[in-house]
């Protein structure tokens, strides 16, 4: 690594990915210099981060929170911006690496801004790739950007994927913990509360991805993400339940070798790998103690109890219009579940209902993707309105 610290921008600095990234940067100030940070509403926390790391730019995307940020950073010399333009300004700053840690398709425009200036992007935000996979990968190629997969499964595959032997790869195997309801009956899941759904047994994550893990939509989104990141047809992307979350994913080669990446379930491991790539840095995560873990187990996912995985595969098969619809409907459904408006099993039912009612042309541009996202949201909201509600 060069003597000059790498400049870093974190999109979504106040979230779970943001916190893990800040922890690593704080331990390696000789290697990394935080230059810009963004948040949505959490202006006070954003200001605290901005002051602690003496960044150049702090951006709040909810413009209503701008006065709070302005007051909290008064006299600091830190530049301030707001709204979607502000997010794009942060992504456009010439940092060496941009951490894509915004949740949801709300992060798409800023990630594309970073890609279009040829940045290295530590890619955690899976919803962007799910919604705009083809377009995103085309932009990456056109602008010479570097995508560093940071979702733990994709980071694992990235670490053991031999590009020079691509034709010798038989399949990718994504592992899944199975989430907090792995062994629950349908009857019990029907009564699951938001607090139970976000209490993941192995990982400490934001609310939305925790609910996605509980429904297993997270794994469905990851199959789509892997499809685009590694240019692999979905029938060569398999999923295995692995409750210990130690093997983070695998690549099976045609000669019979399967290469896997092992690590503790701590996002600082894949984030450290992405930040330092192609080198490695000292990581703070507890080292893996395989003797203490004792046994590693694997089984097939149950798509009857967890239909979201099937829905994601169906969306991939349906054509490029369907993943953004699936993602938008899922974002609305998860938010409604967290708000207590629908039950846990209604999430997948809503997504399935929206997908089955929709047909649309393949998106050709980012505007088309945003239009599909808006359509998926409208369809999902219609399921929520009392007059049209047909789920459960
Ligand atoms: P969190 O909910 O913890 O944090 C989300 C971040 O995005 C916050 O900084 C939040 O700001 C910001 N944000 C939320 N809504 C918007 C919006 N509309 N516009 C702009 N910014 C917004 O999420 P996670 O960190 O858990 O997840 C981030 C992404 O990384 C997701 O796509 C997730 O799937 C992926 N991921 C996360 C993992 C994890 O361990 N957490 C693991 C693998 C992938 P504010 O705080 O102000 O609301």
């Amino acid at each position: 690594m060069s003597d000059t610290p790498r400049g870093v921008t974190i999109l979504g600095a106040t979230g779970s990915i943001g916190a893990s990234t800040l922890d690593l940067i704080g331990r390696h100030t000789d290697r990394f210099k935080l230059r810009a940070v963004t948040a949505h509403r959490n202006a006070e926390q954003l200001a605290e981060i901005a002051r602690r790391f003496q960044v150049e730019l702090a951006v709040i995307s909810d413009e209503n929170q701008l006065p709070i940020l302005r007051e909290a950073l008064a006299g600091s010399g830190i530049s301030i911006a707001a709204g979607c333009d502000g997010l794009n300004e942060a992504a456009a700053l010439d940092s060496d690496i941009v951490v894509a840690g915004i949740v949801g398709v709300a992060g798409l425009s800023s990630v594309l801004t970073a890609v279009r200036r040829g940045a290295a992007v530590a890619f955690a935000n899976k919803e962007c790739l799910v919604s705009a996979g083809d377009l995103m990968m085309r932009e990456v190629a056109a602008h010479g950007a570097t995508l560093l997969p940071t979702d733990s499964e994709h980071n694992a595959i990235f670490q053991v994927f031999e590009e020079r032997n691509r034709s010798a790869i038989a399949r990718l195997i994504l592992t899944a913990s199975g989430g907090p309801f792995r062994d629950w009956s349908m009857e019990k899941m029907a009564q699951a509360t938001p607090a139970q759904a976000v209490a993941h047994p192995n990982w400490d994550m934001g609310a939305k991805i925790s609910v996605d893990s509980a429904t297993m939509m997270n794994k469905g989104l990851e199959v789509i993400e892997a499809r685009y990141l590694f240019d692999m047809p979905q029938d060569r992307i398999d999923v295995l339940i692995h409750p210990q979350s130690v093997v983070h994913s695998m690549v099976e080669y045609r000669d019979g070798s399967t290469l896997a990446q092992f690590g503790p379930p701590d996002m600082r491991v894949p984030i450290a790998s992405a930040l330092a790539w192609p080198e490695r840095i000292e990581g703070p995560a507890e080292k893996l103690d395989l003797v203490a873990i004792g046994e590693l187990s694997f089984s097939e996912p149950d798509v009857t109890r967890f239909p979201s995985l099937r829905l994601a595969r169906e969306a991939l098969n349906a054509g490029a219009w369907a993943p953004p619809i699936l993602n938008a409907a899922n974002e609305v459904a998860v938010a409604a579940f967290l708000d207590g408006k629908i039950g846990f099993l209604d999430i997948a039912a809503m997504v399935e209902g929206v997908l089955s009612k929709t047909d649309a042309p393949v998106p050709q541009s980012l505007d088309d993707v945003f239009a599909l996202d808006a359509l998926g949201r409208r369809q999902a909201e219609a399921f929520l309105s009392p007059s049209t509600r047909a789920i459960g």
Side-chain angles (χ1 to χ4, degrees):
M1 218 172 251
S2 88
D3 289 345
T4 323
R6 268 186 192 176
V8 182
T9 290
I10 307 179
L11 305 172
T14 49
S16 162
I17 290 289
S20 295
T21 310
L22 291 172
D23 180 79
L24 289 164
I25 292 175
R27 291 168 193 270
H28 292 282
T29 47
D30 54 330
R31 289 174 181 268
F32 304 110
K33 172 74 185 107
L34 188 59
R35 296 187 58 197
V37 284
T38 82
H40 186 44
R41 295 209 176 100
N42 216 332
E44 276 165 9
Q45 194 188 338
L46 182 69
E48 186 274 316
I49 293 167
R51 280 188 183 273
R52 180 153 45 101
F53 287 87
Q54 282 301 300
V55 302
E56 293 159 46
L57 175 65
V59 175
I60 193 86
S61 52
D62 179 347
E63 303 195 10
N64 295 324
Q65 309 303 316
L66 183 57
I68 300 174
L69 184 65
R70 191 171 282 136
E71 192 184 326
L73 288 180
S76 66
I78 297 169
S79 301
I80 293 169
C84 194
D85 288 348
L87 293 179
N88 286 330
E89 190 180 330
L93 189 78
D94 61 348
S95 293
D96 300 292
I97 181 157
V98 175
V99 177
I102 290 177
V103 61
V105 88
L108 179 54
S109 172
S110 50
V111 167
L112 268 172
T113 300
V115 162
R116 284 175 177 154
R117 71 170 175 81
V121 180
F123 215 95
N125 178 322
K126 61 193 80 186
E127 295 90 350
C128 288
L129 261 184
V130 167
S131 298
D134 272 336
L135 289 167
M136 178 78 75
M137 297 315 287
R138 259 187 266 149
E139 295 283 338
V140 166
H143 298 279
T146 306
L147 281 195
L148 300 167
T150 306
D151 208 346
S152 59
E153 295 76 2
H154 305 75
N155 181 265
I157 290 173
F158 183 65
Q159 292 197 40
V160 296
F161 190 107
E162 295 175 2
E163 185 61 50
R164 67 186 182 285
N165 287 321
R166 169 177 278 280
S167 61
I169 291 175
R171 60 180 179 140
L172 309 181
I173 304 165
L174 297 171
T175 55
S177 69
F181 306 150
R182 189 182 68 239
D183 301 320
W184 285 31
S185 66
M186 297 290 278
E187 294 70 28
K188 199 170 168 196
M189 280 195 280
Q191 307 304 322
T193 65
Q196 289 170 319
V198 298
H200 197 283
N202 304 350
W203 297 94
D204 182 10
M205 310 182 285
K208 194 265 178 181
I209 183 175
S210 297
V211 175
D212 284 344
S213 290
T215 59
M216 287 201 66
M217 178 58 88
N218 185 45
K219 215 46 57 178
L221 299 179
E222 288 178 6
V223 168
I224 302 176
E225 191 184 1
R227 154 79 193 83
Y228 292 118
L229 272 178
F230 302 107
D231 192 17
M232 191 63 60
Q234 70 141 321
D235 59 1
R236 286 166 56 202
I237 306 172
D238 287 340
V239 172
L240 282 184
I241 302 294
H242 167 51
Q244 296 84 8
S245 298
V246 164
V247 176
H248 294 298
S249 280
M250 304 173 241
V251 176
E252 183 187 290
Y253 291 86
R254 296 195 191 282
D255 64 4
S257 289
T258 296
L259 302 192
Q261 183 257 357
F262 286 44
D266 183 328
M267 281 307 291
R268 291 175 302 179
V269 176
I271 295 172
S273 148
L275 284 180
W277 185 86
E279 300 179 11
R280 293 198 184 258
I281 52 171
E282 185 74 30
E286 213 170 291
K287 299 294 175 272
L288 197 58
D289 182 347
L290 285 173
V291 174
I293 294 163
E295 279 182 12
L296 301 179
S297 53
F298 301 90
S299 59
E300 293 285 348
D302 178 347
V303 287
T304 308
R305 279 186 306 129
F306 298 100
S308 296
L309 191 50
R310 167 179 60 78
L311 294 174
R313 286 193 183 278
E314 286 173 4
L316 255 184
N317 278 336
W321 63 269
I325 298 281
L326 168 103
N327 180 69
N330 184 58
E331 286 194 26
V332 172
V334 170
F337 169 69
L338 286 169
D339 253 12
K341 292 182 185 152
I342 62 172
F344 180 75
L345 296 181
D346 295 334
I347 300 173
M350 242 174 90
V351 174
E352 182 150 31
V354 169
L355 272 176
S356 68
K357 279 180 61 175
T358 314
D359 194 7
V362 168
Q364 304 294 337
S365 66
L366 193 57
D367 283 348
D368 291 349
V369 171
F370 283 124
L372 285 169
D373 179 69
L375 174 65
R377 281 169 202 277
R378 274 200 310 279
Q379 305 263 41
E381 298 288 353
F383 272 83
L384 289 175
S385 83
S387 57
T388 53
R389 205 163 159 204
I391 52 175

